[in-house]
């Protein structure tokens, strides 16, 4: 598969991150303009390893002419501002993501406030909420604001001398997930839309426009299923993911992910049928006590699957006088 990438003029450079998912794959497209897809987090170690990785292919940061961002997570966009400043490269990202990236610090404050309110509404204790907010605030320095100089509309094209990438918005893992399709070579730069070794988490995230009410939350897992089904219909030989190994059979992987979602939804439905429970109680029933770092992830997992049960009419939300929600059989 690496030979197939090299023949397409693409180099994969794994960059370290501080997260459990491990290294991020950034991709160098050796075409005109010379392009880097994603950047790695904002750290000296990540920057050093990126420079080493580029040098292995006879390139420098100053040679870059274009940087493409697949989505808003900090391991994918943290170094973009530094790269653009050193190289003068244009920065390309989904048009609706551009304002979020420009006001990164403010946007992250809003994300944290939204997450804390959502956790309170779904039964997480104050000490857990406080600890998680402290932790996420410490992570914020791994990202940085950047100016998008070439906003990309969903369905638009990004031309090169020897190829064209088609821009496709595939939200779910985040509101801004964007994949880039080289139809001629049957390749897809997938970001975190599809990962081979682990499921991409459909995180409950504040919408990009900043308007959110925890009582009327986004439903990212339902959105993600729609996105995966759209990707399943594509004719692809290779998906280039943001983490882990290259993916050859995207349809088999998507089918397995959808089966996993169905199994977990049925398991949660059985727990709700036993007695009404908060999302926190359901998360505990599934996984027991988890590290604070995983608290919001487990909440997103539970809420995403409950949304599917609400959609099919088997589960309802019941809010008590304190604003705490429990899920009960319909």
């Amino acid at each position: 598969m690496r030979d197939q990438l090299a023949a397409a003029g693409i180099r994969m450079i794994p960059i370290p991150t501080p997260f459990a998912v491990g290294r991020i794959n950034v991709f160098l497209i050796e075409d005109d303009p010379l392009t880097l897809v994603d950047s790695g987090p904002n750290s000296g170690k990540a920057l050093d390893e990126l420079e080493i990785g580029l040098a292995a292919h006879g390139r420098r940061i100053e040679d870059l002419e274009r940087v493409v961002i697949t989505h808003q997570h900090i391991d994918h966009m943290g170094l973009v501002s530094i790269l653009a400043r050193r190289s003068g490269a244009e920065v390309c990202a989904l048009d609706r993501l551009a304002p979020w990236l420009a006001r990164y610090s403010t946007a992250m404050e809003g994300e944290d406030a939204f997450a804390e309110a959502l956790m309170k509404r779904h039964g997480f204790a104050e000490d857990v909420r406080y600890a998680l907010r402290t932790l996420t605030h410490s992570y914020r320095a791994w990202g940085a604001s950047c100016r998008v100089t070439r906003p990309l509309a969903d369905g638009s094209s990004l031309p090169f001398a020897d190829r064209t990438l088609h821009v496709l918005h595939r939200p779910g893992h985040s509101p801004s997930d964007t994949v880039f399709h080289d139809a001629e070579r049957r390749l897809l730069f997938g970001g975190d839309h599809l990962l081979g070794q682990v499921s991409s988490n459909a995180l409950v995230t504040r919408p990009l426009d900043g308007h959110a009410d925890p009582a009327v939350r986004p439903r990212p897992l339902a959105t993600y299923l729609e996105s995966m089904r759209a990707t399943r219909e594509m004719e692809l030989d290779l998906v280039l993911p943001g983490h882990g190994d290259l993916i050859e059979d995207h349809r088999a992987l998507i089918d397995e992910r959808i089966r996993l979602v169905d199994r977990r939804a049925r398991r949660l439905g059985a727990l709700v049928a036993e007695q009404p429970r908060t999302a926190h109680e359901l998360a505990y029933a599934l996984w027991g006590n988890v590290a604070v770092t995983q608290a919001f992830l487990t909440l997103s997992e539970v809420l995403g699957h409950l949304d599917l049960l609400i959609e099919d009419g088997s589960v309802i939300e019941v809010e008590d006088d304190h604003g705490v929600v429990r899920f009960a059989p319909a």
Side-chain angles (χ1 to χ4, degrees), residues 19-59:
F19 306 113
V21 73
R23 288 177 175 257
I24 172 180
N25 300 323
V26 305
F27 294 95
L28 179 69
I29 304 176
E30 296 185 305
D31 202 335
D32 182 12
L34 185 68
T35 296
L36 196 70
V37 179
D38 286 336
S39 73
N42 181 23
S43 77
K45 181 172 177 59
L47 183 60
D48 287 346
E49 292 212 21
L50 177 58
E51 291 192 283
I52 292 168
L54 290 171
H57 303 295
R59 304 290 189 172

Side-chain angles (χ1 to χ4, degrees), residues 1-2 5 9-15 24-30 34-40 50 54 57 64 66-68 70 76 160 165 187-192 238-247:
M1 288 189 286
R2 294 296 184 96
L5 277 192
I10 300 168
R11 310 290 184 175
M12 185 169 80
I13 305 173
I15 303 296
I24 172 180
N25 300 323
V26 305
F27 294 95
L28 179 69
I29 304 176
E30 296 185 305
L34 185 68
T35 296
L36 196 70
V37 179
D38 286 336
S39 73
L50 177 58
L54 290 171
H57 303 295
L64 296 173
R66 172 184 285 165
V67 180
V68 175
T70 61
H76 293 257
F160 294 73
L165 296 183
L187 301 177
L188 187 73
F189 293 89
D192 287 357
L238 208 56
V239 176
L240 285 55
H243 304 274
D245 296 333
L246 304 176
I247 297 165

Side-chain angles (χ1 to χ4, degrees), residues 92-163:
C92 307
L94 186 71
D95 50 8
R96 63 192 86 178
L97 176 60
W100 190 99
L101 291 169
R103 53 179 176 81
Y104 167 75
S105 293
T106 303
M108 290 301 290
E109 283 289 345
E111 299 281 350
D112 288 350
F114 172 74
E116 188 171 0
L118 193 72
M119 293 178 77
K120 180 179 180 181
R121 179 173 173 80
H122 290 286
F124 283 75
E126 183 179 4
D127 59 339
V128 175
R129 303 196 307 266
Y130 177 80
L132 187 62
R133 180 151 194 168
T134 302
L135 183 68
T136 58
H137 192 274
S138 71
Y139 279 159
R140 201 172 300 166
W142 297 95
S145 64
C146 64
R147 186 170 72 90
V148 174
T149 55
R150 185 167 186 166
L152 304 171
D154 180 27
S156 65
S157 297
L158 190 59
F160 294 73
D162 192 41
R163 75 197 71 210

